[in-house]
Amino acid sequence: RKQRRKRKTSTRRHNHMAQSNIDFFQTDYSQSVKDHDNHSYIPSTINSTGPVSFDDEPPLWEELGIDPDLVKTKTVAILVQKRRLNDLLLNDTDLGGPFIFCLLLGGVMMLRTKLIFGYIFGFSFTSSLIMYGLLNLMSPLGIGFSHTMSVLGYSLAPMILLALTSIVLPPTGIIGFLIGVAIIGYCTHSASYMFTKVLQTADEGVLYAYPIGLLYACFALFVMF
């Protein structure tokens, strides 16, 4: 009888709990669903438009600030056709051409298993700094440092030809020596002529030629030996 009574009391308690309206774990998920809809992920415009195309990207020389047409025109005017030099080319301070010529000179020297990029760029900067000081002391008009580097760099282009000939001909021979002297003189004449035009000092070309000739002679020593 005691067991029956216990069973009856337990069933009554169970029915009473079932009939109660208390929900201990009641949760409203509707608000979270709305929040999720409002903050849904919006794909970026890059992914929505498809893969990125590199056809519309500008060339590398434009990003570096190098104008190939200007480099070609100024090189020809300085080295070949000096009559084509106008005020625009004389006052131009482009450094893209000198940078290309220094890279080409170092690249040609790599064919002779000589890695001298540091010497070329380091000596170019140091010599331009020295010439910048000398020119400003010798001329009342004065000249900028970037302008000095531009003139000396463009006049360095024939030195690449000396580097190419030194691969075939022995630089210590008579022919190689004569070619080196001729190229040093040509580079010196081009640079000193440009400086006399820029500084408007036609009578001081010889004074400019002496330190400039020493400068290009050092470059020739790098190339030949």
Side-chain angles (χ1 to χ4, degrees):
R1 290 179 181 178
K2 292 181 180 180
Q3 292 179 355
R4 288 179 182 178
R5 290 178 181 176
K6 290 181 181 179
R7 290 178 182 176
K8 287 180 181 181
T9 54
S10 62
T11 51
R12 288 177 181 177
R13 291 178 182 175
H14 179 72
N15 293 331
H16 180 73
M17 292 294 293
Q19 291 177 0
S20 62
N21 295 324
I22 300 174
D23 188 3
F24 295 98
F25 301 98
Q26 183 179 1
T27 305
D28 187 9
Y29 294 98
S30 59
Q31 185 65 31
S32 62
V33 172
K34 292 180 181 179
D35 295 339
H36 182 270
D37 293 336
N38 293 331
H39 297 85
S40 60
Y41 174 72
I42 300 174
S44 61
T45 56
I46 298 175
N47 294 329
S48 61
T49 56
V52 179
S53 177
F54 293 97
D55 296 335
D56 299 333
E57 292 290 330
L60 180 59
W61 55 77
E62 290 186 6
E63 295 182 356
L64 295 175
I66 299 174
D67 188 358
D69 296 331
L70 177 62
V71 172
K72 179 181 177 181
T73 302
K74 191 172 181 179
T75 303
V76 173
I78 292 176
L79 300 179
V80 181
Q81 299 176 357
K82 293 182 173 57
R83 294 180 181 179
R84 296 178 58 183
L85 288 171
N86 50 25
D87 294 336
L88 180 62
L89 295 177
L90 287 174
N91 297 321
D92 181 68
T93 59
D94 175 62
L95 296 177
F99 179 74
I100 293 174
F101 295 146
C102 288
L103 285 179
L104 289 176
L105 182 61
V108 173
M109 294 307 298
M110 287 183 65
L111 300 177
R112 295 181 54 190
T113 64
K114 294 178 67 177
L115 190 63
I116 58 172
F117 284 101
Y119 292 101
I120 293 172
F121 284 100
F123 186 73
S124 298
F125 180 81
T126 305
S127 59
S128 298
L129 186 62
I130 294 173
M131 284 303 305
Y132 165 72
L134 290 175
L135 292 173
N136 282 280
L137 290 174
M138 296 170 66
S139 174
L141 292 178
I143 189 173
F145 178 66
S146 60
H147 202 170
T148 306
M149 289 187 68
S150 178
V151 173
L152 294 176
Y154 273 98
S155 301
L156 183 67
M159 202 64 62
I160 301 173
L161 180 61
L162 178 62
L164 290 172
T165 55
S166 64
I167 298 175
V168 182
L169 299 173
T172 55
I174 297 176
I175 299 176
F177 178 77
L178 293 177
I179 293 174
V181 172
I183 289 180
I184 292 171
Y186 195 80
C187 294
T188 303
H189 172 70
S190 299
S192 60
Y193 180 81
M194 279 287 296
F195 284 128
T196 55
K197 289 293 183 181
V198 172
L199 299 173
Q200 299 177 4
T201 53
D203 297 335
E204 298 181 0
V206 179
L207 296 178
Y208 297 158
Y210 177 69
I212 293 172
L214 294 177
L215 184 156
Y216 289 116
C218 294
F219 272 108
L221 292 176
F222 289 154
V223 172
M224 297 175 66
F225 303 100

